[in-house]
Amino acid sequence: PARSYAPGVWNVMRLYTRQLVSYATKPGDAGAQVVPDLATGLGRTTDGGRTWTYQLRPGLRWDDGRPVTAQDVKYGIERLFASDVLPGGPTWLVTLLDDRGSPYDGPYRDRTPGHLGLRSIATPDTRTIVFRLVRPFADWDKVLALPTATPVPAARDLGTRYAAHPASLGPYLVSGPDAHGVLAFTRNRFWSKATDPVRLALPDRVELATNIVPAERDRRVLSGQADADVSGSGLQPAAAAQVLADPALTARADDPTTGTLRMLAMPPTVPPFDNPHCRRAVQYALDKAAVKDAVGGAAAAALATTLWPRGLPGYPAITPYPGGDGNRGDQTAARSELAGCGKATGFAANLAVVADGRGPAVAAAAARSLGEVGIRVTVKRYPRTQFLSVVAGAPAVVRRDQLGLILADWSADFPSPNAFLVPLADGRSIRPSGNTNLAELGGAALEQAVDDATATLDPVAAVTAWRAVETLVMQSAAYAPLIEDRALLLASPRLRNVYVHPVYHGYDVASLGVS
């Protein structure tokens, strides 16, 4: 659980992991609500969101029959601090719990007096857990609903080898993979529905085939050999066309937005994008309808007009930079902005993009539409493994190679504008490598707005506060939203209790049954 970082994986992990709180097993907006899981209730705070307290349910047991304790919860989170041993997972818990003046090194190199562990988590008894955050954070329950907050019994921790034999708190035990790459989930006799309000656990056995290429995944689902594809990628274009052409198949299909928004970042450190008029020229010139068509049309994407995916609370249908008739671009407005930035005939720009997936098609469509107003784009492709680490995510490289346009895709780790906007827009998040704030935004006004929204506990007021953040970001014109991805999903005829979970963007594995 410490290293998992994909919604499809998190969905499957609901079969054997549990957290203090989880997302409801319901479709639509109700599924995005955090509900008690191991805890008796949601977190309680009395100091504006800095300190949070939880109580464990009675009767919880591990798959070996041992009682679950508050210390198990604490230890599971402490493992995240051993980033040298267990890298790769979300870092929300680390950044919100670590004392920067005296960083914690994780349980494998614990230097605390008496090896008492992370001081920001207190366990006054076996059922009480108290978290003391470094700053107020209204979305703390949502952070704890991530699988990274899964308890781990210290006596069974094998470090990097723990993944081979993870302890189970859920309805199933994990075994495998076998010689064919199949993981088996079988009944955990110490799990009780009476202590688990989240998981339905309908099948007696679940089998997960791993390391299957996309075309083969599609073939198995279409043939009924598999009940569902939980990778999160959806059907590939050929299989999608087959499904959409067959009413019987279409009746078993869903096409949810995935929460992944594709956008162009325009770092002001690269001329002429240091001039806001040049950035706004790009905003108006983009033919977003052509971009959507390039990836497969309405079944593959939805148009994006602002930095707020549809699955987040309070989705605002606003358009700061109207794209003209049919969202084909407003060339008149674009040329006016070009004149305003002293580039009336246009300018040359480099566009960085990941070399695989939908990126090249999106980049080509965007480049063509910018060329209509004289913005001459050179597309530069980079391997996915390098893109965020040492190219687009390295500000020095962006400046050196004059990467004035960066095609990025981004999704929130949990359903909150906080999780979506902060990595993209908070200047304090800029790093020399692995940087996600590709537009290199910041400044006192924006960072104060982020702090205000982060600490707003009331959900309605929080949406208003985050809209203020998003408004400031869009006023900068440094991000140009293009499309939000859709995934075409197909369920087998025998699958029952089928719905798309709004957090995991696939069929909710915790609820599925078969006839």
Side-chain angles (χ1 to χ4, degrees):
R3 305 179 72 174
S4 62
Y5 211 158
V9 176
W10 292 345
N11 190 7
V12 171
M13 292 177 75
R14 282 154 68 84
L15 297 175
Y16 71 99
T17 68
R18 294 179 65 183
Q19 298 79 41
L20 289 171
V21 294
S22 297
Y23 289 102
T25 45
K26 295 180 180 180
D29 292 343
Q33 300 303 309
V34 180
V35 296
D37 189 353
L38 295 173
T40 57
L42 300 180
R44 292 181 290 108
T45 181
T46 57
D47 59 358
R50 186 182 290 271
T51 303
W52 297 82
T53 302
Y54 300 80
Q55 293 287 131
L56 287 176
R57 297 177 186 273
L60 297 168
R61 293 188 176 276
W62 288 101
D63 56 12
D64 60 4
R66 191 181 68 83
V68 180
T69 67
Q71 289 73 26
D72 295 333
V73 176
K74 178 178 181 178
Y75 185 80
I77 293 173
E78 287 176 335
R79 296 174 81 244
L80 307 178
F81 288 75
S83 58
D84 56 331
V85 179
L86 302 171
T91 59
W92 295 94
L93 285 158
V94 174
T95 57
L96 289 167
L97 290 170
D98 204 14
D99 179 358
R100 295 181 182 177
S102 179
Y104 178 62
D105 293 321
Y108 311 128
R109 293 193 296 152
D110 191 345
R111 299 187 182 95
T112 63
H115 299 285
L116 296 178
L118 188 60
R119 288 177 291 184
S120 52
I121 304 179
T123 54
D125 55 57
T126 58
R127 288 183 54 202
T128 305
I129 310 101
V130 181
F131 299 93
R132 298 185 177 91
L133 280 54
V134 297
R135 64 181 186 276
F137 196 83
D139 284 328
W140 179 245
D141 273 329
K142 292 177 180 177
V143 171
L144 285 185
L146 293 170
T148 41
T150 296
V152 172
R156 296 172 62 179
D157 184 16
L158 300 173
T160 57
R161 294 181 292 123
Y162 178 75
H165 302 285
S168 174
L169 279 173
Y172 301 96
L173 306 174
V174 190
S175 61
D178 64 14
H180 302 288
V182 175
L183 287 165
F185 298 86
T186 56
R187 289 288 186 189
N188 173 10
R189 66 188 181 94
F190 289 103
W191 175 82
S192 169
K193 183 65 180 116
T195 63
D196 189 342
V198 175
R199 294 152 195 82
L200 300 187
L202 298 178
D204 288 325
R205 180 182 175 92
V206 180
E207 293 184 351
L208 175 69
T210 64
N211 299 322
I212 309 297
V213 297
E216 175 63 11
R217 289 201 303 264
D218 292 352
R219 187 195 68 78
R220 294 189 188 188
V221 174
L222 283 165
S223 68
Q225 185 178 350
D227 289 304
D229 171 15
V230 295
S231 69
S233 62
L235 296 171
Q236 302 304 296
Q242 180 181 343
V243 168
L244 294 173
D246 186 335
L249 292 175
T250 304
R252 304 199 326 255
D254 295 273
D255 64 338
T257 54
T258 67
T260 297
L261 195 148
R262 296 179 187 270
M263 69 199 85
L264 282 176
M266 294 171 272
T269 55
V270 178
F273 297 104
D274 53 344
N275 188 313
H277 290 287
C278 285
R279 302 196 296 269
R280 288 198 285 267
V282 170
Q283 297 274 359
Y284 286 117
L286 286 166
D287 183 341
K288 296 182 182 182
V291 171
K292 185 175 77 170
D293 291 342
V295 298
L303 291 178
T305 59
T306 191
L307 290 179
W308 199 296
R310 287 161 173 76
L312 298 187
Y315 169 66
I318 61 174
T319 308
Y321 305 99
D325 292 340
N327 287 290
R328 292 289 179 183
D330 185 337
Q331 294 186 7
T332 300
R335 289 191 171 94
S336 174
E337 293 292 346
L338 284 172
C341 76
K343 304 286 184 179
T345 59
F347 55 85
N350 293 325
L351 190 162
V353 62
V354 173
D356 58 32
R358 291 180 168 183
V362 172
R368 283 194 296 271
S369 61
L370 295 178
E372 293 293 322
V373 297
I375 301 175
R376 304 174 300 281
V377 175
T378 300
V379 177
K380 294 181 175 293
R381 300 187 181 191
Y382 299 91
R384 182 173 297 274
T385 54
Q386 299 178 8
F387 193 70
L388 271 184
S389 58
V390 295
V391 183
V397 175
V398 169
R399 290 191 295 273
R400 183 195 71 194
D401 294 350
Q402 294 293 284
L403 303 178
L405 296 168
I406 300 171
L407 182 60
D409 58 82
W410 188 251
S411 59
D413 289 344
F414 49 86
S416 166
N418 186 336
F420 190 84
L421 289 171
V422 169
L424 292 174
D426 191 334
R428 294 162 295 189
S429 68
I430 297 174
R431 293 176 290 180
S433 64
N435 174 47
T436 59
N437 185 348
L438 298 176
E440 299 181 49
L441 294 180
L446 181 55
E447 290 165 11
Q448 183 60 57
V450 166
D451 289 344
D452 292 343
T454 298
T456 303
L457 293 172
D458 178 77
V460 176
V463 168
T464 300
W466 284 113
R467 279 179 174 158
V469 173
E470 188 265 351
T471 297
L472 289 172
V473 174
M474 291 305 296
Q475 284 175 351
S476 76
Y479 286 108
L482 296 169
I483 56 172
E484 187 177 348
D485 286 358
R486 290 187 182 276
L488 188 64
L489 308 177
L490 184 67
S492 77
R494 71 171 190 154
L495 210 56
R496 296 293 180 266
N497 208 32
V498 181
Y499 60 84
V500 175
H501 196 281
V503 176
Y504 307 109
H505 310 295
Y507 295 133
D508 188 355
V509 173
S511 290
L512 292 176
V514 292
S515 59

